[in-house]
Amino acid sequence: MSHQKEIGIQEVPRFDKWLTFSIQHLFAMFGATILVPYLVDLSPAVALFSSGLGTLAYLLITRGQIPAYLGSSFAFIAPIIAATTIGGPEGAMIGSFLAGIIYGIVALLIKASGVGWLLKILPPIVVGPVIMVIGLGLAGVAIDMAMNVPGTGQYSGTLFSVAIVTLGITVLSAFFLKGFFGLIPFLFGIIGGYIYAYIMGVIDFTPVRDAAIFAVPDFIVPFVTYTPSFNWHIAAIMVPIAVVTISEHIGDQMVLSKVVGKNFIKKPGLHRSLLGDGVATMIASVLGGPPNTTYGENIGVLAITRVFSVFVIGGAAVLAMTLAFFGKFAALIQTIPTAVMGGVSILLFGVIASSGLRMLIENGINMGLKRNLIISSTILVIGIGGAFIQVSDEIQIAGMALATIIGIVLHLVLPNKEESYGTKSMFEDDQKVNQ
């Protein structure tokens, strides 16, 4: 932990400190933010730009009172892939836009009625297993990227060695590095894996040589280029995921409140932070970027540096937006071998799944009780197994979305609801956070 002087939320650090801390926040979110568009076949440059612009919108909506950076959301990876097969990337972006609207609706309801009703329908026994589904459901994607030649499914020992080396560097970085460097193991893994892949001769630098120094990112404007009639199937895939990410958002706000020592749930209010998250997601969707969400890595940077300045967060956002227009940098990202991304994904998707398990443990959920066992088991099998309900020719509720809905329904209809809230609610400490 750094012993330097704490810098407040609305303080402007000296330029050299401002630049240093802004770069740290950019590094903290960089690896994960470019991985999401890489997996769903969107532009990493657009993802960087939209995350920066979304963060600036978030800071504006929260009145410059919450120092949080927003990056690409992993919860939407599988839904975006599914939605893209139906309506192309433009259709997936419209689905993301609708998810952002859900954020806005929930924000209005919280403003009017408080957050209690939301926490009652989203207990840890529902949210935890759904988060596990998000990670475990992508396990096959990670292994395919790590082992096989892209597009052919043919096994390659060379590529698998690249993935294993990448994974090893990431694990060692996470385990042995301390302080700020311990927060960016995925970035170290990507860099180390890239170097090894170059040594193994699997990288082609031709796109970098051919790229312009400066280039406009490949923005997608879905409401202009998407010609088919609206597809309710896409909405059914994308919208329910917002329920889970909203719950994650609340948890992040509680952790951030404890780190900074201010109750952001009360001031500027959960409704404002949720609205900011939703608007950031809608901004990303109209540009062709993945949905945005708050990042635990950036909360970790705040905890280590004790620099809570929103001007630092804004600086990181501006740097990300600027970086998106460097054509050779965008081309360099595109040359990262799939096996490298597969290597970091093995750990990253496992961490996501494990965080769902951690939620159950931290909230004191008794898995020996029939109620909790039934709800969690049903969510896991339906979500990972790929079950779906064909509502009509255009509407299909599948996978993670179906698992979320069924989990909520089971919680609401089964008796003894108090058993699913655990011995310690993940949100019960919000009143204890300093004003």
Side-chain angles (χ1 to χ4, degrees):
M1 180 73 70
S2 173
H3 296 289
Q4 64 183 23
K5 180 180 178 293
E6 181 178 292
I7 297 179
I9 293 176
Q10 296 185 333
E11 290 184 51
V12 183
R14 200 173 63 227
F15 177 77
D16 57 337
K17 289 187 176 182
W18 171 85
L19 183 60
T20 299
F21 293 128
S22 294
I23 291 174
Q24 284 182 337
H25 278 281
L26 180 61
F27 280 170
M29 50 67 63
F30 183 81
T33 293
I34 66 168
L35 177 58
V36 174
Y38 192 99
L39 293 174
V40 299
D41 201 23
L42 295 174
S43 168
V46 173
L48 279 175
F49 183 86
S50 61
S51 73
L53 187 58
T55 297
L56 294 179
Y58 180 89
L59 295 177
L60 180 64
I61 291 171
T62 57
R63 298 178 175 177
Q65 297 181 32
I66 303 180
Y69 192 99
L70 275 62
S72 304
S73 172
F74 284 88
F76 284 91
I77 292 176
I80 289 177
I81 293 174
T84 300
T85 61
I86 300 171
E90 294 93 343
M93 292 303 98
I94 290 179
S96 298
F97 188 88
L98 293 175
I101 291 178
I102 297 300
Y103 272 86
I105 294 173
V106 173
L108 291 175
L109 292 174
I110 289 176
K111 172 66 174 176
S113 308
V115 73
W117 63 273
L118 181 62
L119 303 184
K120 287 182 179 179
I121 65 173
L122 288 174
I125 194 60
V126 172
V127 178
V130 171
I131 294 175
M132 294 172 69
V133 167
I134 293 172
L136 296 177
L138 294 168
V141 174
I143 297 302
D144 178 67
M145 292 173 63
M147 294 178 56
N148 301 326
V149 178
T152 67
Q154 182 179 357
Y155 172 80
S156 168
T158 300
L159 293 180
F160 195 32
S161 73
V162 170
I164 293 300
V165 169
T166 302
L167 175 61
I169 294 173
T170 306
V171 170
L172 292 175
S173 299
F175 196 81
F176 290 106
L177 296 182
K178 305 299 180 184
F180 167 73
F181 294 109
L183 295 172
I184 54 173
F186 297 107
L187 183 57
F188 281 120
I190 291 173
I191 294 173
Y194 190 89
I195 294 173
Y196 177 78
Y198 172 74
I199 294 173
M200 298 300 293
V202 297
I203 295 179
D204 179 12
F205 285 109
T206 302
V208 180
R209 289 193 292 267
D210 294 342
I213 296 177
F214 300 103
V216 177
D218 297 325
F219 294 115
I220 297 174
V221 186
F223 292 98
V224 175
T225 58
Y226 186 63
T227 54
S229 58
F230 179 74
N231 193 316
W232 285 102
H233 187 180
I234 293 176
I237 292 172
M238 299 289 289
V239 168
I241 309 307
V243 176
V244 180
T245 54
I246 285 172
S247 178
E248 288 184 305
H249 174 94
I250 297 173
D252 283 342
Q253 289 305 305
M254 295 315 310
V255 174
L256 185 59
S257 293
K258 292 174 183 177
V259 168
V260 178
K262 294 182 179 293
N263 192 337
F264 296 131
I265 299 296
K266 288 186 175 181
K267 184 180 180 182
L270 182 61
H271 63 288
R272 281 190 174 274
S273 64
L274 268 177
L275 180 61
D277 211 334
V279 169
T281 291
M282 288 189 282
I283 289 174
S285 68
V286 299
L287 296 175
N292 285 320
T293 189
T294 48
Y295 260 37
E297 290 87 345
N298 290 104
I299 297 176
V301 174
L302 294 174
I304 289 173
T305 64
R306 309 304 295 174
V307 175
F308 306 133
S309 172
V310 293
F311 294 97
V312 168
I313 301 295
V318 172
L319 289 176
M321 295 170 64
T322 304
L323 200 58
F325 284 88
F326 281 84
K328 287 192 178 296
F329 179 77
L332 184 64
I333 294 176
Q334 297 289 357
T335 65
I336 299 175
T338 302
V340 169
M341 291 304 198
V344 296
S345 295
I346 291 174
L347 179 60
L348 186 58
F349 296 159
V351 168
I352 294 172
S354 297
S355 66
L357 180 61
R358 185 180 68 183
M359 176 178 287
L360 298 177
I361 295 172
E362 290 181 347
N363 287 276
I365 301 298
N366 185 351
M367 295 304 296
L369 299 176
K370 290 182 180 180
R371 183 184 214 276
N372 294 334
L373 192 61
I374 288 172
I375 294 175
S376 61
S377 301
T378 304
I379 290 174
L380 289 171
V381 174
I382 288 178
I384 298 174
F388 64 89
I389 295 177
Q390 193 72 43
V391 180
S392 67
D393 292 339
E394 292 188 351
I395 303 177
Q396 183 186 86
I397 304 175
M400 194 191 314
L402 180 60
T404 303
I405 294 171
I406 290 181
I408 292 174
V409 171
L410 284 174
H411 167 65
L412 294 177
V413 301
L414 292 177
N416 303 320
K417 290 185 177 63
E418 64 279 359
E419 295 178 354
S420 292
Y421 296 105
T423 57
K424 176 178 170 58
S425 170
M426 57 185 169
F427 307 118
E428 72 176 7
D429 289 337
D430 61 325
Q431 302 302 322
K432 301 177 184 178
V433 179
N434 294 330
Q435 296 292 326

